[in-house]
Amino acid sequence: MPLRQRCPAHHETPTPLLDHLNLATLKLVAAIEHEGSLSRAAATLHIVPSAASRRITQLENAMGVELLHRTARGAGLTAAGLSIARYARAMMEDVDTLDAELQNLQAGVSGRIQLVASISAIVQHLPQDLAQFLQQHPGIKIELAEHTSAEIVELLLQRKADVGVFVAEGDIPGLTLQPYRTERLVVILPVHHRLAKRKRLRFEQLLKEEWVELPPGTALASRVAREALAHGVRLRTRIQVKGMDSASRMVQCGLGIGLLPQASLEQQAKFPNLAFVPLDEPWAHRVSYLAVPALAEPAPASRMLLQALMGL
């Protein structure tokens, strides 16, 4: 790595590296690595290439090391440039985090959110959405608890929770609901089950089967029970479990069939001996909602979470 030697005076104290760096130049170095060339990086940052090149040259002169390979075809980062780019990315992330935290503090957004969610939401989309939200708003703390849909409604109505995420089938007095995600139900069966190769299944075709069910109070268990009664039967429940992983494991071992959201099963590659068949019923398409008490204005932190989860 060629060095450009600096010749300080005899008793001159070397200038600390930090004094030669600024965020704009670091952002440029990171952009050069990402884009693969100085000209494309300059275009991304909306600066002219000559100004971008001048910034890099100034930093090279200050540091005494070449940061770019300059050829007739363009310019790419040297080993030293790549090292700076790596640290520049980390610094940019820190600055973004600081900016978000300062904005939260200026807006009075900090504190704690009591979030209650159904198992369906927790095993599907909610963890990724929360991780992104907390990265952008580190001043906000979320306490997440899993509950059945019936429990979530009660907790919200009693003001013992700030935000709820669960499947609802209509308006609920005392709560304000906003759509969150749509999910599709599929029948899960052992791979060698006689119905496992069907393209789709109607609910009436499942009435004589033995079932692995989720606990009463969950939206899915309540819906299945209502549909069975509408057909004039009670399902033959062989075993009842608390979680979707447990349900999949029981079905895998031949203890019955079940219904689960398709997206939750896509994360369960550890259960290879299961067959998934779409349920051919209008109610197989479900909407999960974000819910807050209707008569109270959400706190700033809760309002920001709701906006983030709704994609606003």
Side-chain angles (χ1 to χ4, degrees):
M1 179 168 50
L3 297 179
R4 297 181 178 180
Q5 299 294 331
R6 288 178 292 178
C7 300
H10 181 64
H11 296 293
E12 181 181 348
T13 301
T15 305
L17 176 60
L18 185 61
D19 292 345
H20 299 306
L21 301 177
N22 62 68
L23 292 178
T25 303
L26 288 174
K27 188 174 183 179
L28 173 59
V29 175
I32 294 172
E33 182 195 28
H34 183 267
E35 298 296 333
S37 79
L38 186 144
S39 58
R40 287 196 296 270
T44 299
L45 299 178
H46 306 291
I47 57 178
V48 296
S50 59
S53 179
R54 188 161 53 251
R55 286 188 190 178
I56 297 298
T57 299
Q58 290 171 349
L59 182 58
E60 288 178 324
N61 291 337
M63 297 180 62
V65 62
E66 289 186 345
L67 303 179
L68 291 182
H69 289 299
R70 292 175 173 83
T71 68
R73 295 183 177 180
L77 292 177
T78 64
L82 290 172
S83 294
I84 291 178
R86 183 172 70 251
Y87 285 101
R89 288 196 309 273
M91 292 177 69
M92 295 302 103
E93 292 175 1
D94 288 342
V95 170
D96 289 341
T97 300
L98 173 61
D99 182 51
E101 186 169 348
L102 291 174
Q103 289 184 27
N104 287 341
L105 291 172
Q106 289 175 344
V109 180
S110 60
R112 178 173 58 97
I113 302 172
Q114 290 181 298
L115 175 64
V116 286
S118 65
I119 184 174
S120 175
I122 290 175
V123 301
Q124 296 186 84
H125 315 291
L126 192 57
Q128 300 95 309
D129 291 345
L130 290 180
Q132 183 176 357
F133 174 79
L134 290 174
Q135 183 178 11
Q136 296 173 350
H137 305 285
I140 297 176
K141 307 299 180 185
I142 295 179
E143 295 179 2
L144 172 63
E146 177 188 318
H147 289 279
T148 66
S149 296
E151 291 169 341
I152 292 171
V153 171
E154 287 302 313
L155 288 168
L156 291 171
L157 291 176
Q158 295 172 15
R159 307 289 176 85
K160 294 181 178 179
D162 300 311
V163 180
V165 186
F166 63 101
V167 172
E169 298 179 6
D171 293 338
I172 299 176
L175 298 183
T176 299
L177 303 179
Q178 294 290 343
Y180 173 49
R181 295 293 180 96
T182 301
E183 59 189 43
R184 179 185 178 88
L185 295 178
V186 295
V187 185
I188 59 171
L189 314 99
V191 71
H192 298 301
H193 193 282
R194 60 185 177 81
L195 299 175
K197 295 187 181 298
R198 298 292 183 92
K199 298 294 185 182
R200 61 187 62 84
L201 287 167
R202 299 298 303 272
F203 186 70
E204 62 186 17
Q205 296 175 272
L206 310 173
L207 298 178
K208 296 182 179 180
E209 300 294 326
E210 292 186 321
W211 282 72
V212 175
E213 291 196 88
L214 296 175
T218 62
L220 184 51
S222 299
R223 183 71 201 223
V224 169
R226 288 202 309 273
E227 292 298 325
L229 288 176
H231 285 79
V233 301
R234 289 185 180 273
L235 294 181
R236 298 163 57 195
T237 301
R238 189 170 191 182
I239 190 168
Q240 189 177 89
V241 295
K242 291 186 176 181
M244 293 187 177
D245 273 11
S246 300
S248 298
R249 178 62 175 158
M250 296 301 172
V251 173
Q252 182 190 40
C253 293
L255 296 179
I257 69 168
L259 280 179
L260 289 181
Q262 183 175 356
S264 71
L265 295 167
E266 292 171 352
Q267 303 174 17
Q268 298 190 35
K270 55 187 173 183
F271 301 118
N273 295 322
L274 289 179
F276 315 139
V277 181
L279 179 65
D280 187 15
E281 298 290 345
W283 51 272
H285 294 272
R286 312 194 308 166
V287 179
S288 58
Y289 288 87
L290 304 168
V292 295
L295 300 180
E297 180 69 20
S302 296
R303 188 165 56 249
M304 292 191 69
L305 175 62
L306 291 168
Q307 293 173 345
L309 294 180
M310 289 188 294
L312 300 179

